Amino acid sequence: TGTVNISGGTVGYTNTGAQSISLQTYNNLSLSGSGTKTFASGTTNLTGNLTFGGSATADAITNTSTIDYSGSGAQTVGAMDYYNLTLSNAGTKTFAAGTSRIANTFSITGSAAANATANSATIEYNGAGAQTVNAVNYHHLTLATSGTKTFAAGTTGIAGNLSLTGSAAADATTNSTTITYNGSGAQNIGAISYHHLTLDVSGVKTFTGATSIAGNMTISGSATADATTNSTTITYNGSTAQNVA
């Protein structure tokens, strides 16, 4: 019983069936073999990397677990379904290729930074209720299932696409968020209500449906806007003076 701090090496859960992952602080954690490896209730700290092998899968949902990448340097964030995901301490935490789903909270603390673009990762907020969308630079961002997904204050970058599925709704106005489409090529602009909307870097940014802007719309770099292909209506609906791009 109790917990230990495993400060070095790799701990591997390698069985050919279901396993429970002990609530510890791990350096590197490897899930391999086969079957579902279920995280315990509480916070599992990883100071190194999480890797997968064989046909093993991870379950951090059943016990509403928190996975905290708490190393003092660079780490790889495994592509899996999280309940609570925390990036803490320091260093850049780079999301692995594939889809990382977050059912509850995504927190960044200390001087840690998230990199969700290097491996073209998809981050999906898929809780059945309200969630806060962290202000980081995403490649693909999906808002799924149901509930209102509220963008945090600051600037959220999207280098790929913004997708809404199920009955999920986006709120980018409550916190006066700036959403920046900053891919180097063509992008589709999600049909939601924006506060500030920026089209940056390069490529054609195509509006996909009725879009409202409560703040300002800015076009920078060599990016261009296409609001005609989909016969889009853009509504500037702010309560004060606005700049029309």
Side-chain angles (χ1 to χ4, degrees):
T1 61
T3 61
V4 296
N5 188 329
I6 304 168
S7 58
T10 299
V11 173
Y13 288 83
T14 61
N15 195 14
T16 55
Q19 291 181 274
S20 295
I21 299 173
S22 178
L23 189 69
Q24 310 291 348
T25 295
Y26 297 91
N27 183 42
N28 296 318
L29 177 62
S30 174
L31 310 181
S32 63
S34 60
T36 301
K37 317 302 183 184
T38 301
F39 285 87
S41 179
T43 299
T44 294
N45 285 278
L46 300 172
T47 60
N49 296 319
L50 171 63
T51 57
F52 294 88
S55 60
T57 60
D59 176 5
I61 305 298
T62 297
N63 295 315
T64 61
S65 307
T66 297
I67 309 300
D68 186 351
Y69 290 83
S70 57
S72 59
Q75 292 180 266
T76 298
V77 180
M80 55 171 272
D81 290 3
Y82 297 90
Y83 187 73
N84 295 320
L85 173 62
T86 300
L87 312 180
S88 67
N89 199 350
T92 299
K93 319 300 185 184
T94 301
F95 284 85
T99 300
S100 289
R101 298 178 178 88
I102 302 167
N104 196 37
T105 63
F106 175 27
S107 304
I108 303 175
T109 64
S111 62
N115 181 344
T117 60
N119 295 312
S120 302
T122 297
I123 308 301
E124 179 178 307
Y125 291 83
N126 69 342
Q131 291 180 270
T132 298
V133 179
N134 217 310
V136 303
N137 200 30
Y138 298 90
H139 186 71
H140 296 312
L141 173 62
T142 300
L143 312 180
T145 311
S146 60
T148 300
K149 316 303 184 184
T150 302
F151 286 85
T155 298
T156 293
I158 301 171
N161 294 317
L162 169 64
S163 303
L164 278 75
T165 65
S167 61
D171 176 359
T173 60
T174 294
N175 295 313
S176 302
T177 306
T178 298
I179 307 294
T180 300
Y181 288 84
N182 58 4
S184 59
Q187 291 182 267
N188 290 327
I189 300 171
I192 67 172
S193 296
Y194 296 89
H195 186 72
H196 296 312
L197 173 62
T198 300
L199 312 181
D200 195 14
V201 186
S202 60
V204 178
K205 317 302 185 184
T206 302
F207 287 86
T208 56
T211 299
S212 63
I213 302 169
N216 296 317
M217 176 176 167
T218 304
I219 303 175
S220 55
S222 62
T224 59
D226 176 0
T228 60
T229 295
N230 295 311
S231 303
T232 304
T233 298
I234 299 175
T235 303
Y236 287 84
N237 62 351
S239 58
T240 59
Q242 292 178 267
N243 294 326
V244 179

